[in-house]
């Protein structure tokens, strides 16, 4: 069964460093998402991406964040200058369509900023 | 602002019983509602989707109801098994005319099924 994959599973970085989180969505899916979950809190939407551009983004997704689909398979989330409060699980998701569609989540990348 | 609430307390039930989880929302008119399962340290896994014009949806031992008047969804697991132990998340579309596919999640209810 096709699944969303994410690398690395755990990333430790120092405050102020740049990190890139990688995702490979399900191959025939057209819509891609990033969510994050701070320990013990809700899953929060960050950004959605379709046709090589951002469809929607949340207030969390400020200028420090960017997304890219550098080739036909990868979808990346970059945080330019990490802060302590960026420590969280980051989930990539994809869906075949947009409206009224279930989303398939990856296993997540645990980001720890020290 | 939009608000989604799920039972904050963990639900403990005996194997074989029916588990019922609640999702309430306010200041909101979602076009659909989804339920996901999340195991510790893992990503959410889609279970069921119900649209605003549907009252009930079933899949194997799972049943979801959606009452847009009460602004509430109930999620039932019948003949529960210890393997059903997990956190269950309610998720709504970000806006009634959402164009970006955003999901808004509740905080989840932890279910523990004892043998």
């Amino acid at each position: 069964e096709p699944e969303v994959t994410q690398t690395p599973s755990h990333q430790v970085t120092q405050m102020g460093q740049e990190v890139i989180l990688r995702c490979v969505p399900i191959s025939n899916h057209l819509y891609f998402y990033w969510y994050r979950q701070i320990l013990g809190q809700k899953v929060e939407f960050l950004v959605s991406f379709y046709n090589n551009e951002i469809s929607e983004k949340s207030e969390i997704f400020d200028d420090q964040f960017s997304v890219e689909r550098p080739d036909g398979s990868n979808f990346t989330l970059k945080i330019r200058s990490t802060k302590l409060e960026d420590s969280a699980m980051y989930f990539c998701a994809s869906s075949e369509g947009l409206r009224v569609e279930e989303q398939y989540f990856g296993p997540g990348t645990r980001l720890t900023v020290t | 602002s939009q608000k989604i609430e799920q039972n904050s307390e963990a639900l403990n039930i005996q194997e074989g019983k029916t588990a019922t989880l609640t999702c309430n929302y306010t200041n909101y008119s979602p076009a659909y509602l989804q339920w996901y399962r999340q195991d510790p340290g893992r990503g959410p896994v889609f279970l069921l989707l119900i649209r605003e014009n549907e009252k009930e949806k079933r899949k194997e031992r799972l049943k979801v109801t959606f009452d847009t008047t009460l602004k509430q969804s109930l999620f039932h697991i019948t003949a529960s098994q210890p393997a059903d132990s997990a956190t269950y998340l309610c998720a709504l579309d970000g806006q009634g005319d959402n164009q970006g596919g955003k999901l808004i999640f509740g905080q989840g209810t932890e279910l523990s099924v004892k043998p």
Side-chain angles (χ1 to χ4, degrees), chain A residues 31-33 35 37 40-45 47-49 55-58 89 91 98-108 110, chain B residues 3-4 31-32 34 36 38 41-46 49 51 89 93-108:
Chain A
Y31 298 87
F32 315 118
Y33 314 86
Y35 293 81
Q37 187 174 32
Q41 296 188 24
K42 296 182 184 185
V43 175
E44 300 175 289
F45 170 81
V47 66
S48 58
F49 191 86
S55 298
E56 188 173 3
K57 60 183 181 180
S58 71
M89 279 288 276
F91 295 110
L98 178 60
R99 305 214 48 200
V100 203
E101 291 282 350
E102 61 267 32
Q103 296 182 14
Y104 292 84
F105 285 74
R110 179 169 298 284
Chain B
K3 197 172 181 183
I4 302 169
Y32 60 88
Q34 302 185 28
Y36 287 78
Q38 187 176 28
R42 307 290 296 172
V45 174
F46 171 78
L49 180 152
R51 293 170 174 75
L89 310 177
D93 63 295
Q95 299 175 34
D97 58 350
N98 175 42
Q99 296 299 309
K102 169 172 102 175
L103 289 178
I104 297 178
F105 283 88
Q107 77 272 27

Side-chain angles (χ1 to χ4, degrees), chain B:
Chain B
S1 63
Q2 302 158 350
K3 197 172 181 183
I4 302 169
E5 286 190 357
Q6 297 185 247
N7 319 55
S8 55
E9 290 184 16
L11 181 63
N12 296 302
I13 64 168
Q14 207 66 32
E15 183 176 8
K17 300 292 186 187
T18 296
T20 298
L21 287 68
T22 305
C23 175
N24 294 296
Y25 58 92
T26 55
N27 300 326
Y28 203 54
S29 295
Y32 60 88
L33 185 149
Q34 302 185 28
W35 284 88
Y36 287 78
R37 169 183 172 140
Q38 187 176 28
D39 290 284
R42 307 290 296 172
V45 174
F46 171 78
L47 296 174
L48 278 170
L49 180 152
I50 187 165
R51 293 170 174 75
E52 60 179 336
N53 60 348
E54 298 175 318
K55 296 292 185 191
E56 183 179 297
K57 203 81 169 277
R58 290 176 186 259
K59 179 182 175 183
E60 298 172 353
R61 293 185 296 112
L62 308 180
K63 184 178 89 171
V64 173
T65 62
F66 193 8
D67 189 326
T68 54
T69 302
L70 288 179
K71 294 186 181 294
Q72 181 181 80
S73 174
L74 299 178
F75 177 77
H76 306 273
I77 306 174
T78 58
S80 59
Q81 304 164 1
D84 295 326
S85 299
T87 296
Y88 290 86
L89 310 177
C90 167
L92 282 70
D93 63 295
Q95 299 175 34
D97 58 350
N98 175 42
Q99 296 299 309
K102 169 172 102 175
L103 289 178
I104 297 178
F105 283 88
Q107 77 272 27
T109 297
E110 185 178 348
L111 172 67
S112 179
V113 182
K114 303 295 184 189

Side-chain angles (χ1 to χ4, degrees), chain A residues 32-88:
Chain A
F32 315 118
Y33 314 86
W34 284 101
Y35 293 81
R36 80 171 186 191
Q37 187 174 32
I38 295 170
L39 188 64
Q41 296 188 24
K42 296 182 184 185
V43 175
E44 300 175 289
F45 170 81
L46 293 178
V47 66
S48 58
F49 191 86
Y50 168 68
N51 199 26
N52 281 318
E53 60 182 31
I54 290 174
S55 298
E56 188 173 3
K57 60 183 181 180
S58 71
E59 292 175 354
I60 303 168
F61 194 89
D62 61 21
D63 292 344
Q64 293 300 312
F65 291 86
S66 62
V67 289
E68 193 177 33
R69 186 149 164 87
D71 53 44
S73 59
N74 290 284
F75 179 50
T76 63
L77 174 70
K78 182 194 290 186
I79 310 175
R80 285 188 186 75
S81 178
T82 50
K83 307 182 186 76
L84 293 176
E85 54 265 36
D86 293 328
S87 295

